[in-house]
Amino acid sequence: MDITRVGIVGAGQMGSGIAHVFALAGYDILLNDIDQTALDKAIETVTRNLDRQVSKEKISQEERDGALGRIATTLELSDLGGMDLVIEAATEREAVKVAIFEELVPHLKPETILTSNTSSISITRLASRTDRPEKFMGFHFMNPVPVMQLVELIRGIATDEATYKTLLGVVEALGKTAASSEDFPAFIVNRILMPMINEAVYTLYEGVGSVSSIDSAMRLGTNHPMGPLELADFIGLDTCLAIMNVLHDGLADTKYRPCPLLTKYVEAGWLGRKTDRGFYDYRGDAPVPTR
Protein backbone atom coordinates (compact mmCIF):
# COMPACT_ATOMS: atom_id res chain seq x y z
CA MET A 1 0.00 0.00 0.00
CA ASP A 2 1.22 3.50 -0.83
CA ILE A 3 1.40 5.59 2.34
CA THR A 4 1.30 9.38 1.86
CA ARG A 5 -1.03 10.70 4.60
CA VAL A 6 -0.36 9.87 8.23
CA GLY A 7 -2.57 10.55 11.24
CA ILE A 8 -1.05 10.72 14.72
CA VAL A 9 -3.16 10.49 17.87
CA GLY A 10 -1.55 12.23 20.83
CA ALA A 11 0.54 15.41 20.66
CA GLY A 12 2.84 14.72 23.59
CA GLN A 13 6.57 14.09 23.52
CA MET A 14 6.28 10.97 21.36
CA GLY A 15 3.52 12.23 19.07
CA SER A 16 5.33 15.47 18.29
CA GLY A 17 8.57 13.60 17.61
CA ILE A 18 6.82 11.15 15.28
CA ALA A 19 5.18 14.07 13.43
CA HIS A 20 8.62 15.69 13.07
CA VAL A 21 10.31 12.70 11.40
CA PHE A 22 7.38 11.83 9.15
CA ALA A 23 6.95 15.42 7.93
CA LEU A 24 10.67 15.73 7.28
CA ALA A 25 10.49 12.51 5.22
CA GLY A 26 7.77 14.04 3.01
CA TYR A 27 4.57 12.61 4.51
CA ASP A 28 1.49 14.79 5.06
CA ILE A 29 0.65 14.77 8.77
CA LEU A 30 -2.58 15.32 10.68
CA LEU A 31 -1.82 15.52 14.42
CA ASN A 32 -4.71 15.01 16.82
CA ASP A 33 -5.13 15.68 20.52
CA ILE A 34 -8.04 16.46 22.86
CA ASP A 35 -6.21 19.58 24.11
CA GLN A 36 -5.48 22.59 21.86
CA THR A 37 -2.68 23.65 24.23
CA ALA A 38 -0.97 20.30 23.64
CA LEU A 39 -1.25 20.75 19.87
CA ASP A 40 0.19 24.27 20.05
CA LYS A 41 3.05 23.06 22.25
CA ALA A 42 3.74 20.19 19.84
CA ILE A 43 4.11 22.58 16.89
CA GLU A 44 6.42 24.78 18.99
CA THR A 45 8.52 21.73 19.87
CA VAL A 46 8.75 20.52 16.27
CA THR A 47 9.68 24.03 15.11
CA ARG A 48 12.38 24.36 17.76
CA ASN A 49 13.87 20.95 16.94
CA LEU A 50 13.82 21.60 13.20
CA ASP A 51 15.54 24.95 13.80
CA ARG A 52 18.20 23.12 15.81
CA GLN A 53 18.77 20.75 12.89
CA VAL A 54 19.13 23.73 10.54
CA SER A 55 21.65 25.40 12.87
CA LYS A 56 23.69 22.17 12.95
CA GLU A 57 23.46 21.98 9.14
CA LYS A 58 21.73 18.58 9.27
CA ILE A 59 18.85 19.89 7.16
CA SER A 60 18.34 22.95 4.96
CA GLN A 61 16.02 25.89 5.63
CA GLU A 62 13.89 24.69 2.70
CA GLU A 63 13.55 21.21 4.24
CA ARG A 64 12.60 22.79 7.56
CA ASP A 65 9.93 25.00 5.97
CA GLY A 66 8.57 22.11 3.90
CA ALA A 67 8.27 19.84 6.95
CA LEU A 68 6.37 22.45 8.97
CA GLY A 69 4.06 23.06 6.01
CA ARG A 70 3.12 19.38 5.94
CA ILE A 71 1.86 19.27 9.56
CA ALA A 72 -1.78 20.12 10.29
CA THR A 73 -3.59 19.71 13.62
CA THR A 74 -7.12 18.81 14.71
CA LEU A 75 -9.12 18.32 17.89
CA GLU A 76 -11.49 15.92 16.09
CA LEU A 77 -10.42 12.28 16.07
CA SER A 78 -12.82 11.55 13.21
CA ASP A 79 -10.76 13.87 10.95
CA LEU A 80 -8.13 11.12 10.79
CA GLY A 81 -10.54 8.88 8.88
CA GLY A 82 -9.01 9.64 5.49
CA MET A 83 -5.43 8.79 6.46
CA ASP A 84 -3.47 5.90 4.93
CA LEU A 85 -1.72 5.15 8.23
CA VAL A 86 -2.73 6.07 11.78
CA ILE A 87 -0.27 5.95 14.70
CA GLU A 88 -1.74 6.02 18.20
CA ALA A 89 0.73 7.70 20.56
CA ALA A 90 -1.48 8.40 23.57
CA THR A 91 -0.64 7.69 27.20
CA GLU A 92 0.56 4.18 28.11
CA ARG A 93 -2.79 3.03 29.50
CA GLU A 94 -4.65 0.26 27.72
CA ALA A 95 -8.13 1.58 28.53
CA VAL A 96 -7.27 4.94 26.94
CA LYS A 97 -5.91 3.30 23.80
CA VAL A 98 -8.94 1.01 23.43
CA ALA A 99 -11.32 3.96 23.80
CA ILE A 100 -9.42 5.83 21.06
CA PHE A 101 -9.60 2.87 18.67
CA GLU A 102 -13.30 2.33 19.31
CA GLU A 103 -14.04 5.98 18.50
CA LEU A 104 -11.71 6.10 15.50
CA VAL A 105 -12.39 2.81 13.69
CA PRO A 106 -15.86 3.70 12.27
CA HIS A 107 -14.31 6.63 10.37
CA LEU A 108 -11.36 4.79 8.81
CA LYS A 109 -11.02 3.70 5.19
CA PRO A 110 -11.05 -0.10 4.82
CA GLU A 111 -7.43 -0.11 3.68
CA THR A 112 -6.06 2.15 6.45
CA ILE A 113 -3.28 0.61 8.53
CA LEU A 114 -3.77 1.17 12.26
CA THR A 115 -0.79 1.11 14.63
CA SER A 116 0.12 1.78 18.25
CA ASN A 117 3.31 3.31 19.59
CA THR A 118 2.82 1.34 22.81
CA SER A 119 6.03 0.40 24.55
CA SER A 120 4.70 -2.71 26.28
CA ILE A 121 0.99 -3.54 25.78
CA SER A 122 -0.13 -6.63 23.83
CA ILE A 123 -0.58 -5.81 20.15
CA THR A 124 -2.78 -8.86 19.65
CA ARG A 125 -5.12 -7.70 22.41
CA LEU A 126 -5.29 -4.13 21.12
CA ALA A 127 -5.88 -5.36 17.57
CA SER A 128 -8.78 -7.52 18.73
CA ARG A 129 -10.64 -4.38 19.79
CA THR A 130 -10.65 -3.09 16.19
CA ASP A 131 -12.26 -4.15 12.92
CA ARG A 132 -8.89 -4.79 11.24
CA PRO A 133 -6.56 -7.01 13.31
CA GLU A 134 -4.81 -8.06 10.09
CA LYS A 135 -3.95 -4.39 9.39
CA PHE A 136 -2.86 -3.60 12.97
CA MET A 137 0.73 -3.49 14.24
CA GLY A 138 2.94 -2.18 16.98
CA PHE A 139 5.00 0.75 15.68
CA HIS A 140 7.25 1.63 18.62
CA PHE A 141 9.54 4.64 18.24
CA MET A 142 12.33 5.43 20.70
CA ASN A 143 12.55 8.74 22.56
CA PRO A 144 13.66 11.31 21.40
CA VAL A 145 12.23 10.27 18.05
CA PRO A 146 14.23 12.65 15.79
CA VAL A 147 17.50 11.37 17.30
CA MET A 148 16.99 7.65 17.93
CA GLN A 149 17.47 5.37 14.94
CA LEU A 150 15.48 2.33 16.04
CA VAL A 151 11.81 1.49 15.43
CA GLU A 152 10.39 -1.73 16.86
CA LEU A 153 7.86 -3.44 14.58
CA ILE A 154 5.56 -5.81 16.45
CA ARG A 155 3.17 -8.14 14.68
CA GLY A 156 0.06 -9.33 16.46
CA ILE A 157 -1.10 -12.89 15.91
CA ALA A 158 -3.39 -11.75 13.06
CA THR A 159 -1.13 -9.16 11.35
CA ASP A 160 -0.74 -9.98 7.65
CA GLU A 161 2.49 -9.93 5.66
CA ALA A 162 1.43 -7.01 3.45
CA THR A 163 0.95 -4.75 6.49
CA TYR A 164 4.33 -5.74 7.90
CA LYS A 165 6.13 -5.13 4.61
CA THR A 166 4.40 -1.77 4.14
CA LEU A 167 5.55 -0.56 7.55
CA LEU A 168 9.03 -1.93 6.96
CA GLY A 169 9.15 0.28 3.86
CA VAL A 170 7.91 3.28 5.86
CA VAL A 171 10.68 2.82 8.43
CA GLU A 172 13.24 2.73 5.61
CA ALA A 173 11.71 5.90 4.10
CA LEU A 174 12.18 7.63 7.46
CA GLY A 175 15.87 6.76 7.37
CA LYS A 176 15.57 4.58 10.46
CA THR A 177 16.24 0.91 11.21
CA ALA A 178 13.53 -1.61 12.08
CA ALA A 179 13.86 -4.37 14.67
CA SER A 180 11.10 -6.97 14.42
CA SER A 181 9.75 -8.29 17.70
CA GLU A 182 7.31 -11.02 18.64
CA ASP A 183 4.26 -9.87 20.59
CA PHE A 184 5.35 -10.57 24.16
CA PRO A 185 5.19 -8.08 27.06
CA ALA A 186 7.46 -5.04 26.56
CA PHE A 187 8.86 -6.45 23.27
CA ILE A 188 12.69 -6.24 22.98
CA VAL A 189 14.04 -2.89 24.19
CA ASN A 190 11.90 -2.44 27.29
CA ARG A 191 12.02 -6.16 28.14
CA ILE A 192 15.75 -5.62 28.69
CA LEU A 193 15.94 -1.94 29.68
CA MET A 194 13.16 -1.65 32.29
CA PRO A 195 14.33 -4.48 34.56
CA MET A 196 17.76 -2.83 34.56
CA ILE A 197 16.22 0.49 35.62
CA ASN A 198 14.04 -1.31 38.20
CA GLU A 199 17.15 -3.04 39.60
CA ALA A 200 18.89 0.34 39.87
CA VAL A 201 15.91 1.59 41.91
CA TYR A 202 16.17 -1.52 44.14
CA THR A 203 19.89 -0.75 44.57
CA LEU A 204 18.91 2.72 45.77
CA TYR A 205 16.01 1.37 47.89
CA GLU A 206 18.26 -1.12 49.69
CA GLY A 207 20.92 1.51 50.39
CA VAL A 208 23.62 -0.11 48.28
CA GLY A 209 24.37 3.24 46.66
CA SER A 210 23.10 6.79 46.37
CA VAL A 211 21.50 8.26 43.24
CA SER A 212 24.83 9.86 42.30
CA SER A 213 26.94 6.77 42.92
CA ILE A 214 24.58 4.44 41.03
CA ASP A 215 24.43 6.71 37.99
CA SER A 216 28.17 7.44 38.05
CA ALA A 217 28.96 3.74 38.33
CA MET A 218 26.88 2.87 35.29
CA ARG A 219 28.06 5.82 33.19
CA LEU A 220 31.75 5.26 33.90
CA GLY A 221 31.74 1.52 34.57
CA THR A 222 29.66 0.40 31.59
CA ASN A 223 30.03 3.45 29.33
CA HIS A 224 26.29 4.21 29.30
CA PRO A 225 25.59 7.77 28.07
CA MET A 226 23.40 8.41 31.13
CA GLY A 227 22.84 6.53 34.36
CA PRO A 228 19.73 4.37 34.84
CA LEU A 229 18.08 6.72 37.36
CA GLU A 230 18.73 9.76 35.17
CA LEU A 231 17.32 7.78 32.24
CA ALA A 232 14.25 6.82 34.27
CA ASP A 233 13.60 10.50 34.98
CA PHE A 234 13.93 11.23 31.25
CA ILE A 235 11.50 8.46 30.29
CA GLY A 236 9.04 9.26 33.10
CA LEU A 237 8.74 7.20 36.29
CA ASP A 238 5.04 6.59 35.64
CA THR A 239 5.92 5.05 32.27
CA CYS A 240 8.66 2.92 33.85
CA LEU A 241 6.21 1.67 36.50
CA ALA A 242 3.51 0.95 33.90
CA ILE A 243 5.92 -1.16 31.83
CA MET A 244 7.16 -3.06 34.88
CA ASN A 245 3.55 -3.82 35.80
CA VAL A 246 2.91 -5.12 32.27
CA LEU A 247 5.98 -7.36 32.54
CA HIS A 248 5.02 -8.57 36.01
CA ASP A 249 1.38 -9.23 35.11
CA GLY A 250 2.08 -10.67 31.66
CA LEU A 251 4.96 -13.00 32.53
CA ALA A 252 4.04 -13.84 36.15
CA ASP A 253 7.68 -13.84 37.22
CA THR A 254 8.75 -12.22 40.49
CA LYS A 255 11.93 -10.90 38.91
CA TYR A 256 9.74 -8.24 37.25
CA ARG A 257 8.20 -7.02 40.54
CA PRO A 258 8.30 -3.19 40.51
CA CYS A 259 10.46 -1.74 43.26
CA PRO A 260 8.32 -0.23 46.06
CA LEU A 261 10.43 2.94 45.90
CA LEU A 262 9.51 3.41 42.23
CA THR A 263 5.84 3.05 43.17
CA LYS A 264 6.30 5.57 46.00
CA TYR A 265 7.83 8.20 43.71
CA VAL A 266 4.93 7.81 41.28
CA GLU A 267 2.42 8.08 44.13
CA ALA A 268 4.12 11.33 45.17
CA GLY A 269 3.77 12.71 41.64
CA TRP A 270 7.56 12.81 41.28
CA LEU A 271 7.63 11.51 37.72
CA GLY A 272 10.99 12.86 36.56
CA ARG A 273 11.81 15.71 34.23
CA LYS A 274 8.20 16.35 33.19
CA THR A 275 7.24 17.23 36.79
CA ASP A 276 10.62 18.77 37.73
CA ARG A 277 11.23 16.09 40.37
CA GLY A 278 12.07 12.43 40.27
CA PHE A 279 15.31 10.79 41.32
CA TYR A 280 16.70 14.28 40.69
CA ASP A 281 15.22 17.70 41.51
CA TYR A 282 15.28 19.85 38.35
CA ARG A 283 13.90 23.06 39.83
CA GLY A 284 17.30 24.72 40.25
CA ASP A 285 20.14 25.57 37.90
CA ALA A 286 21.48 22.00 38.00
CA PRO A 287 19.80 18.66 38.82
CA VAL A 288 20.17 17.63 42.49
CA PRO A 289 19.72 14.01 43.65
CA THR A 290 16.63 13.54 45.84
CA ARG A 291 18.17 10.63 47.79
Side-chain angles (χ1 to χ4, degrees):
M1 181 179 175
D2 187 27
I3 305 294
T4 59
R5 296 180 297 170
V6 178
I8 300 168
V9 183
Q13 193 174 38
M14 294 304 295
S16 62
I18 294 168
H20 175 142
V21 298
F22 269 89
L24 200 54
Y27 294 91
D28 292 322
I29 306 302
L30 186 55
L31 181 61
N32 163 261
D33 201 281
I34 58 173
D35 181 5
Q36 184 62 50
T37 302
L39 290 171
D40 295 340
K41 184 178 179 182
I43 296 301
E44 290 173 6
T45 299
V46 172
T47 302
R48 183 171 63 251
N49 289 336
L50 286 168
D51 287 342
R52 185 181 294 118
Q53 288 179 301
V54 172
S55 68
K56 292 182 177 181
E57 298 184 348
K58 292 186 176 181
I59 64 172
S60 67
Q61 185 68 37
E62 290 74 22
E63 288 173 314
R64 176 259 190 207
D65 295 343
L68 280 178
R70 284 188 285 271
I71 302 176
T73 63
T74 180
L75 292 168
E76 299 298 326
L77 191 59
S78 59
D79 290 345
L80 273 58
M83 300 296 105
D84 304 316
L85 166 66
V86 175
I87 304 166
E88 172 274 312
T91 186
E92 190 69 357
R93 287 167 48 201
E94 186 166 350
V96 172
K97 295 178 185 296
V98 168
I100 288 169
F101 295 139
E102 288 180 347
E103 182 180 347
L104 176 63
V105 159
H107 304 284
L108 296 178
K109 301 184 297 182
E111 64 271 24
T112 298
I113 293 175
L114 189 54
T115 68
S116 176
N117 184 56
T118 179
S119 54
S120 60
I121 299 170
S122 167
I123 298 303
T124 297
R125 195 164 63 240
L126 289 176
S128 72
R129 303 301 294 271
T130 77
D131 66 342
R132 62 196 67 214
E134 72 287 349
K135 292 186 178 299
F136 192 103
M137 276 194 69
F139 206 24
H140 181 217
F141 290 80
M142 306 295 126
N143 186 34
V145 182
V147 176
M148 303 297 281
Q149 288 301 303
L150 182 71
V151 181
E152 282 184 317
L153 292 181
I154 307 100
R155 285 194 254 199
I157 196 169
T159 307
D160 64 27
E161 187 69 13
T163 298
Y164 170 72
K165 287 186 174 178
T166 297
L167 289 186
L168 196 61
V170 170
V171 173
E172 291 173 358
L174 296 176
K176 295 188 181 295
T177 300
S180 298
S181 170
E182 293 299 316
D183 184 24
F184 289 99
F187 319 131
I188 295 172
V189 172
N190 283 320
R191 172 76 176 263
I192 297 167
L193 174 63
M194 286 303 160
M196 184 196 76
I197 287 176
N198 194 52
E199 193 62 28
V201 183
Y202 266 115
T203 305
L204 177 66
Y205 176 62
E206 294 170 2
V208 178
S210 66
V211 169
S212 296
S213 62
I214 292 166
D215 276 352
S216 294
M218 294 303 290
R219 280 198 311 270
L220 302 177
T222 61
N223 216 25
H224 289 192
M226 65 173 72
L229 301 176
E230 181 186 3
L231 179 57
D233 275 359
F234 180 77
I235 294 167
L237 303 193
D238 52 340
T239 300
C240 294
L241 179 59
I243 295 170
M244 286 309 302
N245 280 325
V246 167
L247 281 165
H248 191 235
D249 294 345
L251 298 171
D253 192 324
T254 56
K255 72 180 180 180
Y256 299 116
R257 183 172 69 96
C259 179
L261 184 60
L262 177 60
T263 301
K264 191 63 65 179
Y265 268 70
V266 173
E267 288 175 344
W270 291 18
L271 308 182
R273 285 187 175 272
K274 60 186 172 185
T275 59
D276 287 331
R277 275 194 290 187
F279 292 113
Y280 293 85
D281 189 327
Y282 301 93
R283 294 174 296 175
D285 294 334
V288 178
T290 55
R291 290 178 81 89

PDB file of all heavy atoms in Angstrom, residues 239-252:
ATOM      1  N   THR A 239       5.776   5.967  33.408  1.00  0.00           N
ATOM      2  CA  THR A 239       5.919   5.054  32.268  1.00  0.00           C
ATOM      3  C   THR A 239       6.736   3.830  32.655  1.00  0.00           C
ATOM      4  O   THR A 239       6.381   2.695  32.307  1.00  0.00           O
ATOM      5  CB  THR A 239       6.570   5.773  31.081  1.00  0.00           C
ATOM      6  OG1 THR A 239       5.753   6.882  30.703  1.00  0.00           O
ATOM      7  CG2 THR A 239       6.744   4.848  29.891  1.00  0.00           C
ATOM      8  N   CYS A 240       7.828   4.046  33.390  1.00  0.00           N
ATOM      9  CA  CYS A 240       8.658   2.921  33.848  1.00  0.00           C
ATOM     10  C   CYS A 240       7.831   1.963  34.700  1.00  0.00           C
ATOM     11  O   CYS A 240       7.908   0.734  34.523  1.00  0.00           O
ATOM     12  CB  CYS A 240       9.849   3.425  34.659  1.00  0.00           C
ATOM     13  SG  CYS A 240      11.044   4.400  33.715  1.00  0.00           S
ATOM     14  N   LEU A 241       7.039   2.511  35.625  1.00  0.00           N
ATOM     15  CA  LEU A 241       6.212   1.669  36.498  1.00  0.00           C
ATOM     16  C   LEU A 241       5.156   0.916  35.689  1.00  0.00           C
ATOM     17  O   LEU A 241       4.914  -0.274  35.928  1.00  0.00           O
ATOM     18  CB  LEU A 241       5.553   2.528  37.573  1.00  0.00           C
ATOM     19  CG  LEU A 241       4.627   1.797  38.551  1.00  0.00           C
ATOM     20  CD1 LEU A 241       5.375   0.703  39.303  1.00  0.00           C
ATOM     21  CD2 LEU A 241       3.993   2.779  39.522  1.00  0.00           C
ATOM     22  N   ALA A 242       4.530   1.604  34.726  1.00  0.00           N
ATOM     23  CA  ALA A 242       3.508   0.953  33.903  1.00  0.00           C
ATOM     24  C   ALA A 242       4.096  -0.228  33.139  1.00  0.00           C
ATOM     25  O   ALA A 242       3.471  -1.301  33.050  1.00  0.00           O
ATOM     26  CB  ALA A 242       2.894   1.963  32.932  1.00  0.00           C
ATOM     27  N   ILE A 243       5.294  -0.068  32.595  1.00  0.00           N
ATOM     28  CA  ILE A 243       5.917  -1.157  31.829  1.00  0.00           C
ATOM     29  C   ILE A 243       6.312  -2.307  32.749  1.00  0.00           C
ATOM     30  O   ILE A 243       6.129  -3.485  32.405  1.00  0.00           O
ATOM     31  CB  ILE A 243       7.131  -0.629  31.035  1.00  0.00           C
ATOM     32  CG1 ILE A 243       6.665   0.375  29.979  1.00  0.00           C
ATOM     33  CG2 ILE A 243       7.890  -1.779  30.376  1.00  0.00           C
ATOM     34  CD1 ILE A 243       7.790   1.128  29.307  1.00  0.00           C
ATOM     35  N   MET A 244       6.832  -1.995  33.937  1.00  0.00           N
ATOM     36  CA  MET A 244       7.161  -3.062  34.883  1.00  0.00           C
ATOM     37  C   MET A 244       5.904  -3.831  35.290  1.00  0.00           C
ATOM     38  O   MET A 244       5.947  -5.061  35.440  1.00  0.00           O
ATOM     39  CB  MET A 244       7.858  -2.488  36.119  1.00  0.00           C
ATOM     40  CG  MET A 244       9.298  -2.050  35.889  1.00  0.00           C
ATOM     41  SD  MET A 244      10.366  -3.291  35.107  1.00  0.00           S
ATOM     42  CE  MET A 244      10.241  -4.655  36.267  1.00  0.00           C
ATOM     43  N   ASN A 245       4.800  -3.136  35.461  1.00  0.00           N
ATOM     44  CA  ASN A 245       3.549  -3.824  35.804  1.00  0.00           C
ATOM     45  C   ASN A 245       3.072  -4.728  34.670  1.00  0.00           C
ATOM     46  O   ASN A 245       2.562  -5.829  34.912  1.00  0.00           O
ATOM     47  CB  ASN A 245       2.467  -2.806  36.164  1.00  0.00           C
ATOM     48  CG  ASN A 245       2.605  -2.280  37.576  1.00  0.00           C
ATOM     49  OD1 ASN A 245       3.002  -3.010  38.488  1.00  0.00           O
ATOM     50  ND2 ASN A 245       2.278  -1.012  37.783  1.00  0.00           N
ATOM     51  N   VAL A 246       3.257  -4.277  33.425  1.00  0.00           N
ATOM     52  CA  VAL A 246       2.907  -5.117  32.272  1.00  0.00           C
ATOM     53  C   VAL A 246       3.772  -6.377  32.247  1.00  0.00           C
ATOM     54  O   VAL A 246       3.285  -7.489  32.024  1.00  0.00           O
ATOM     55  CB  VAL A 246       3.049  -4.325  30.955  1.00  0.00           C
ATOM     56  CG1 VAL A 246       3.010  -5.263  29.743  1.00  0.00           C
ATOM     57  CG2 VAL A 246       1.954  -3.275  30.837  1.00  0.00           C
ATOM     58  N   LEU A 247       5.064  -6.219  32.502  1.00  0.00           N
ATOM     59  CA  LEU A 247       5.975  -7.364  32.543  1.00  0.00           C
ATOM     60  C   LEU A 247       5.601  -8.319  33.674  1.00  0.00           C
ATOM     61  O   LEU A 247       5.540  -9.541  33.484  1.00  0.00           O
ATOM     62  CB  LEU A 247       7.421  -6.884  32.725  1.00  0.00           C
ATOM     63  CG  LEU A 247       8.126  -6.352  31.481  1.00  0.00           C
ATOM     64  CD1 LEU A 247       9.386  -5.589  31.857  1.00  0.00           C
ATOM     65  CD2 LEU A 247       8.467  -7.502  30.532  1.00  0.00           C
ATOM     66  N   HIS A 248       5.344  -7.753  34.847  1.00  0.00           N
ATOM     67  CA  HIS A 248       5.019  -8.571  36.013  1.00  0.00           C
ATOM     68  C   HIS A 248       3.706  -9.319  35.823  1.00  0.00           C
ATOM     69  O   HIS A 248       3.610 -10.524  36.096  1.00  0.00           O
ATOM     70  CB  HIS A 248       4.958  -7.680  37.256  1.00  0.00           C
ATOM     71  CG  HIS A 248       4.895  -8.431  38.544  1.00  0.00           C
ATOM     72  ND1 HIS A 248       3.906  -8.239  39.476  1.00  0.00           N
ATOM     73  CD2 HIS A 248       5.694  -9.405  39.064  1.00  0.00           C
ATOM     74  CE1 HIS A 248       4.105  -9.040  40.508  1.00  0.00           C
ATOM     75  NE2 HIS A 248       5.188  -9.755  40.281  1.00  0.00           N
ATOM     76  N   ASP A 249       2.691  -8.606  35.319  1.00  0.00           N
ATOM     77  CA  ASP A 249       1.383  -9.226  35.107  1.00  0.00           C
ATOM     78  C   ASP A 249       1.403 -10.224  33.949  1.00  0.00           C
ATOM     79  O   ASP A 249       0.790 -11.288  34.024  1.00  0.00           O
ATOM     80  CB  ASP A 249       0.326  -8.150  34.826  1.00  0.00           C
ATOM     81  CG  ASP A 249       0.079  -7.242  36.026  1.00  0.00           C
ATOM     82  OD1 ASP A 249       0.493  -7.603  37.145  1.00  0.00           O
ATOM     83  OD2 ASP A 249      -0.491  -6.154  35.831  1.00  0.00           O
ATOM     84  N   GLY A 250       2.121  -9.855  32.874  1.00  0.00           N
ATOM     85  CA  GLY A 250       2.085 -10.667  31.662  1.00  0.00           C
ATOM     86  C   GLY A 250       2.942 -11.914  31.717  1.00  0.00           C
ATOM     87  O   GLY A 250       2.630 -12.920  31.070  1.00  0.00           O
ATOM     88  N   LEU A 251       4.036 -11.871  32.492  1.00  0.00           N
ATOM     89  CA  LEU A 251       4.965 -13.001  32.532  1.00  0.00           C
ATOM     90  C   LEU A 251       4.925 -13.747  33.858  1.00  0.00           C
ATOM     91  O   LEU A 251       5.518 -14.819  33.985  1.00  0.00           O
ATOM     92  CB  LEU A 251       6.387 -12.522  32.230  1.00  0.00           C
ATOM     93  CG  LEU A 251       6.559 -11.912  30.834  1.00  0.00           C
ATOM     94  CD1 LEU A 251       7.938 -11.272  30.691  1.00  0.00           C
ATOM     95  CD2 LEU A 251       6.343 -12.950  29.744  1.00  0.00           C
ATOM     96  N   ALA A 252       4.242 -13.170  34.860  1.00  0.00           N
ATOM     97  CA  ALA A 252       4.038 -13.835  36.155  1.00  0.00           C
ATOM     98  C   ALA A 252       5.342 -14.323  36.781  1.00  0.00           C
ATOM     99  O   ALA A 252       5.414 -15.410  37.353  1.00  0.00           O
ATOM    100  CB  ALA A 252       3.043 -14.989  36.011  1.00  0.00           C
TER     101      ALA A 252
END
